[in-house]
Amino acid sequence: MRTLILLFIAVLGFATPEMQAQSETTAETIEQLNAQKEQVVIDEKQALKIEVLAINKRFENGEISKEEADLLKKEAATKHARNIEDKLAIIESKIDLLERNEDSIEDDSVFGIFIGNEKLRLGSDKEEVVYDRRTTSDLVLGIGFNNALSEGRSLNDSPYKIGGSRFFELGIAWKTRVFDNTNFLRLKYGFSFMFNGLKLDDNQYFVEDGERTVLETYPVDLDKSKFRMDHLVFPVHFEIGPSTKRTGDNYIRYSTKNQFKLGLGGYAGFNLLTIQKLKYEENGDERKDKFKQNFNTNNFIYGVSGYLAFGDTALYVKYDLNPIFKDNPIEERNFSVGLRFDMD
């Protein structure tokens, strides 16, 4: 399992961040050029103001007549107006060029890996701009607090430490626009590795008792008692929210950058590993015991989840509909609350 996760991260490390960094760099450059357009207007207006003040000073000193002063002001206004027009045209051409090249870079290969400044392309080398890209992909990262709910028991009575029980999620998601002419509704789907941890309180640990799994008190003081379930799941969410539309001569794009998003859906998958870790001292020596066994946990995992986001950061909630243990008289269901980061 650890090897699989490291391989997954390595592939993402070579491919996704570099491609995202390239896209982000282009977007930042375009944003800077748009800011330059505003600065051009400000600078030229300021230059015109200074020039007019100089003309007025010459008129007050009797160096030129009023008719000559008015003519010079008119010529100065025309000059700076043309300066603004020409400079803005140059900047617009740069923006146009960047946007065209960005689309070509995105579309001229099936997959790419960057090594230094070189890109190894796998797939077609043909430069072809996709007019309407309805599906995009991104890296998903989730982290936060974890616990378990059961009927008739509040969190205050939970045998699991609230602050010490945590979850972690890492995956890839694809997002597809549902309708042809609006991006308000998107379908988001993919796969994730979920790691749900429960840190036990009151010196307790899990013990298999036939087909049941029960809590018992450990015979010596435990420094740590932790129970973790590793899952492979396939989440599906319907995502709604506004977006910005950008069009060109041969492309159309929708962006949800810096926009509010609401996602509602669920997930289903499989339990890959269940592990219990105990840390304690015995005869003055520090001991760490690991137990990798089923503990009668459910192998099929399914639940509901949702997130409320602004930009790439979201408040994230997920709740397992399946009990953690198969045949326990008290059914406990895992739930998590934390942050979710979608680097799209």
Side-chain angles (χ1 to χ4, degrees):
M1 176 61 195
R2 182 180 177 186
T3 303
L4 179 62
I5 299 299
L6 290 175
L7 179 60
F8 178 81
I9 296 173
V11 171
L12 291 175
F14 273 110
T16 306
E18 289 291 351
M19 289 185 287
Q20 288 176 346
Q22 187 178 28
S23 177
E24 288 172 3
T25 301
T26 302
E28 289 171 0
T29 304
I30 292 174
E31 188 175 344
Q32 291 169 3
L33 288 171
N34 283 321
Q36 286 181 24
K37 290 164 59 178
E38 298 178 7
Q39 192 61 43
V40 162
V41 176
I42 294 172
D43 291 345
E44 289 297 330
K45 285 183 176 180
Q46 184 65 24
L48 175 60
K49 183 178 178 181
I50 294 172
E51 199 166 335
V52 168
L53 288 174
I55 295 170
N56 288 336
K57 188 69 174 177
R58 292 177 64 191
F59 170 68
E60 291 171 1
N61 293 336
E63 297 176 11
I64 56 175
S65 66
K66 186 177 186 305
E67 290 74 15
E68 289 175 321
D70 290 341
L71 181 59
L72 289 172
K73 289 178 186 178
K74 184 177 180 180
E75 291 175 350
T78 302
K79 180 184 71 174
H80 289 288
R82 291 187 63 184
N83 286 349
I84 291 174
E85 184 179 351
D86 292 344
K87 290 180 179 180
L88 291 183
I90 292 171
I91 295 174
E92 286 288 355
S93 297
K94 290 180 179 179
I95 292 174
D96 229 19
L97 180 63
L98 283 170
E99 289 177 340
R100 285 198 304 272
N101 288 341
E102 179 184 20
D103 292 325
S104 296
I105 290 169
E106 287 177 353
D107 299 317
D108 65 354
S109 63
V110 176
F111 182 74
I113 298 176
F114 286 83
I115 303 177
N117 293 324
E118 299 297 326
K119 183 175 182 181
L120 174 62
R121 300 184 185 277
L122 306 178
S124 174
D125 288 331
K126 182 181 178 182
E127 292 191 3
E128 180 183 355
V129 176
V130 177
Y131 176 74
D132 186 4
R133 184 181 292 279
R134 297 186 63 166
T135 299
T136 58
S137 62
D138 56 82
L139 175 68
V140 175
L141 176 67
I143 189 169
F145 298 107
N146 197 63
N147 216 289
L149 292 176
S150 63
E151 187 175 352
R153 188 183 72 190
S154 67
L155 278 178
N156 291 330
D157 300 324
S158 173
Y160 315 114
K161 294 182 179 180
I162 296 177
S165 301
R166 303 182 183 92
F167 85 94
F168 179 78
E169 178 179 345
L170 179 67
I172 293 179
W174 287 267
K175 182 166 60 179
T176 299
R177 191 171 82 246
V178 175
F179 299 112
D180 288 335
N181 300 316
T182 175
N183 193 44
F184 187 75
L185 177 64
R186 288 87 66 178
L187 182 65
K188 197 153 191 173
Y189 51 94
F191 67 92
S192 290
F193 294 100
M194 287 184 180
F195 308 90
N196 298 319
L198 296 171
K199 198 169 185 179
L200 281 75
D201 209 352
D202 298 328
N203 215 57
Q204 296 186 96
Y205 73 117
F206 282 112
V207 177
E208 286 189 59
D209 182 14
E211 295 182 351
R212 300 171 55 195
T213 301
V214 298
L215 285 172
E216 292 187 1
T217 302
Y218 204 68
V220 299
D221 291 336
L222 292 171
D223 296 325
K224 181 172 73 173
S225 177
K226 189 173 183 179
F227 186 77
R228 195 187 79 214
M229 297 158 286
D230 300 347
H231 303 151
L232 171 62
V233 298
F234 301 90
V236 178
H237 294 93
F238 280 103
E239 183 181 279
I240 60 174
S243 60
T244 56
K245 184 178 180 180
R246 191 180 67 190
T247 59
D249 294 337
N250 59 347
Y251 71 89
I252 178 174
R253 294 290 184 270
Y254 292 89
S255 173
T256 58
K257 184 179 180 181
N258 297 328
Q259 300 285 350
F260 282 101
K261 292 172 276 191
L262 173 65
L264 297 173
Y267 52 90
F270 308 96
N271 186 18
L272 300 177
L273 175 68
T274 304
I275 183 170
Q276 181 168 233
K277 298 180 181 179
L278 303 178
K279 183 179 177 181
Y280 57 94
E281 286 189 8
E282 187 177 57
N283 299 324
D285 296 326
E286 187 177 280
R287 292 285 304 274
K288 294 180 182 179
D289 294 338
K290 292 183 181 180
F291 303 94
K292 296 180 181 180
Q293 56 196 70
N294 181 262
F295 287 99
N296 297 313
T297 54
N298 272 300
N299 293 323
F300 181 59
I301 311 300
Y302 59 97
V304 293
S305 57
Y307 55 89
L308 178 63
F310 178 76
D312 295 336
T313 305
L315 177 64
Y316 183 37
V317 179
K318 60 185 182 72
Y319 176 69
D320 286 359
L321 295 177
N322 62 281
I324 295 175
F325 303 105
K326 294 177 184 177
D327 299 311
N328 277 16
I330 298 177
E331 293 186 345
E332 295 180 298
R333 291 176 171 83
N334 195 85
F335 82 97
S336 310
V337 178
L339 295 177
R340 172 186 170 117
F341 304 94
D342 290 57
M343 280 70 84
D344 56 356

